[in-house]
Amino acid sequence: IHLRLPLIYFLLNACCLSVNGFVTVQSQRLSTITLDRCTSTTLVSPSPTKRLQSSQLESIIDASDTWGNVAGLTGAAVAGQTLGARTKIGKLLGPPVSAMAISFVLASIGVLSPGGTAASKFLQLLCLQLATPLILLGADLRGCVSRCGPLLVSFFYASAATVLACLVGWPLCRSMLCKALGRDGLIIAAALLAKNVGGGLNYVAVTQALGASPHAVAAGLCVDNIFALVYFPITNALSSGLPDLESDLPENTVKKTEETNDESITLQKTTIVLFLSSVLLSLSERVGGKSAALPLCSVATVLFTSLAPNSWMGPLRETSEMLGTSFLYLFFATAGAPGIRLAETVKASVIPLGIFLTLLYTIHGLILAGLNQFWGRSNGQLCRQRLLVASSAAIGGPATSVALAKANSWKSLEVPSVLVGNIGYAIASFIGLAYYSIFR
């Protein structure tokens, strides 16, 4: 089964994962926020609680309607896949981005409850956590170590580009961000740095560690989501038509692999791969806790798949890939669930955050484009395919990077893209906290 998956951010990979947990402002009244070193004034905000509650009452599908929200989000995934395959605009965006855009519109116009719901959060967690081990179980990891090395160097350049962009962005946007968010301005800047090196999980970790307010957290994520809707279609367009870096593999090798693997999908294989994924996730969470569960699960899955006999794993690969791809589609659909119906205090920070993120994305892209332009031909680590996948792993996480590789049939980069993306998960929170310590 070959599903064409372009990228998305989902910044996705977790970008919106945290929105649902933090946009619970309807149970809180924010009266005043005392600004620290950024400003000596006090920001008085109108209560957004009533605004959010009244806007939720206008939603066709109420926030308490669990299965109604699940049905709406899965419907967006189906519609995104249909549009992505049959329409010109959908083909440009790709099915996952189309699904995210559809759910974004539904939440913004009042069909779905704005700000995300408990059902959306549940679906996001389930899809995000299961997609990574399933995709790794569905990949042939033997021989991928030699291909991961060059991409790891490319990922280092992509991460360094994000760090440099934020080092430039904060001095230029400091006054605006502090005026709009107070002390949370620097926290959100650090969290956005962490998110665009790792993923949404790192955004959550940094904001929780530094004590950001729910409004500031929601603002950063929602604005970053909007930029994702621009970034990933551009990445998909730049990657279109580029060949796999190892497309010259002998045809008889590919045929031999296909002949030795039973790729039929059965009920037994489906239950086996779900069982294996659940066990790996459970063990990883027990060892590293929730914050480190996903990176540890990736390492455990790689070890298991590498050590298990090919006669065991070969028949399961097609089933694992199909299920992993399905969860990716559903995850991307939930990414647009928060919409843009935000409290007034959140809307006030959209422009400053937009300027900061414009600098982040622009400088990040220009640095990588310059590396490819001047050294791409002489250095395989800086070729366009690897830099695009590395950029996607940094900006959106492993889910979006593997989606880009799958969309362009870059088989040699599929597994390495997941591996380097999870390396980003492991280091990004520390980078964000160090950034905060430098400028506070």
Side-chain angles (χ1 to χ4, degrees):
I1 301 176
H2 298 285
L3 297 177
R4 181 172 181 81
L5 290 175
L7 274 200
I8 48 185
Y9 233 70
F10 192 179
L11 135 267
L12 282 217
N13 170 77
C15 171
C16 288
L17 169 67
S18 50
V19 169
N20 297 316
F22 284 99
V23 187
T24 55
V25 291
Q26 56 264 40
S27 63
Q28 302 177 5
R29 292 185 59 93
L30 184 63
S31 57
T32 61
I33 299 178
T34 303
L35 310 183
D36 65 352
R37 302 179 182 182
C38 297
T39 177
S40 59
T41 61
T42 299
L43 173 64
V44 180
S45 63
S47 171
T49 306
K50 294 182 179 179
R51 293 181 182 273
L52 283 176
Q53 287 177 340
S54 62
S55 65
Q56 287 182 344
L57 292 175
E58 297 171 359
S59 300
I60 296 176
I61 301 177
D62 190 78
S64 61
D65 186 355
T66 300
W67 287 109
N69 282 279
V70 171
L73 294 171
T74 52
V78 174
Q81 185 177 5
T82 302
L83 291 176
R86 299 183 182 180
T87 65
K88 292 183 178 179
I89 296 179
K91 290 179 180 178
L92 175 64
L93 296 175
V97 177
S98 300
M100 184 175 70
I102 290 171
S103 60
F104 183 88
V105 171
L106 292 178
S108 297
I109 64 177
V111 177
L112 297 174
S113 297
T117 62
S120 175
K121 180 179 180 180
F122 166 76
L123 200 58
Q124 285 175 352
L125 285 170
L126 179 67
C127 295
L128 176 65
Q129 292 179 332
L130 282 175
T132 297
L134 284 170
I135 288 172
L136 287 172
L137 287 172
D140 184 3
L141 299 179
R142 295 175 183 357
C144 77
V145 176
S146 60
R147 296 193 296 265
C148 187
L151 187 62
L152 184 60
V153 176
S154 304
F155 179 75
F156 168 79
Y157 284 118
S159 300
T162 299
V163 172
L164 181 59
C166 291
L167 290 174
V168 173
W170 174 251
L172 296 176
C173 302
R174 176 174 183 170
S175 60
M176 292 183 292
L177 286 172
C178 287
K179 182 178 181 180
L181 297 173
R183 67 173 295 272
D184 289 334
L186 179 55
I187 297 177
I188 298 304
L192 288 172
L193 166 59
K195 188 202 148 308
N196 289 295
V197 170
L201 295 176
N202 303 105
Y203 183 95
V204 175
V206 171
T207 53
Q208 285 183 332
L210 299 177
S213 68
H215 289 290
V217 174
L221 285 172
C222 291
V223 177
D224 198 49
N225 264 346
I226 296 172
F227 276 78
L229 291 173
V230 178
Y231 168 81
F232 287 108
I234 292 176
T235 305
N236 188 53
L238 291 174
S239 64
S240 179
L242 296 177
D244 189 11
L245 295 175
E246 298 184 8
S247 59
D248 56 346
L249 289 173
E251 292 185 4
N252 59 343
T253 302
V254 179
K255 290 181 179 179
K256 183 178 180 181
T257 303
E258 292 176 350
E259 290 173 359
T260 56
N261 293 337
D262 179 12
E263 296 186 341
S264 59
I265 298 175
T266 65
L267 177 61
Q268 184 180 26
K269 293 176 184 177
T270 302
T271 54
I272 288 174
V273 296
L274 287 174
F275 167 72
L276 290 174
S277 300
S278 301
V279 170
L280 290 166
L281 283 166
S282 176
L283 293 176
S284 300
E285 187 169 315
R286 284 175 177 268
V287 173
K290 292 185 178 180
S291 60
L294 206 56
L296 287 177
C297 181
S298 298
V299 174
T301 307
V302 168
L303 292 175
F304 175 80
T305 309
S306 301
L307 298 176
N310 191 56
S311 58
W312 293 4
M313 299 307 303
L316 300 177
R317 288 192 181 113
E318 188 64 24
T319 303
S320 297
E321 182 181 2
M322 183 273 294
L323 287 175
T325 300
S326 300
F327 281 118
L328 280 178
Y329 271 96
L330 290 174
F331 173 75
F332 291 146
T334 62
I340 201 171
R341 298 167 68 187
L342 306 176
E344 293 298 327
T345 52
V346 177
K347 292 180 180 179
S349 61
V350 168
I351 293 178
L353 286 171
I355 295 174
F356 179 80
L357 285 170
T358 298
L359 291 170
L360 189 158
Y361 280 79
T362 302
I363 295 174
H364 172 94
L366 288 176
I367 290 175
L368 296 186
L371 290 173
N372 175 255
Q373 179 67 30
F374 293 104
W375 293 286
R377 294 183 179 180
S378 60
N379 189 341
Q381 298 165 346
L382 300 177
C383 67
R384 185 182 296 184
Q385 292 94 323
R386 285 196 176 98
L387 286 177
L388 286 171
V389 171
S391 174
S392 178
I395 297 295
T400 58
S401 60
V402 72
L404 179 64
K406 283 178 174 290
N408 293 280
S409 298
W410 296 340
K411 296 291 185 181
S412 64
L413 295 177
E414 287 183 9
V415 173
S417 67
V418 177
L419 299 177
V420 299
N422 279 284
I423 291 173
Y425 278 151
I427 65 174
S429 296
F430 300 103
I431 294 176
L433 293 172
Y435 176 86
Y436 176 82
S437 299
I438 292 173
F439 288 107
R440 66 176 178 178

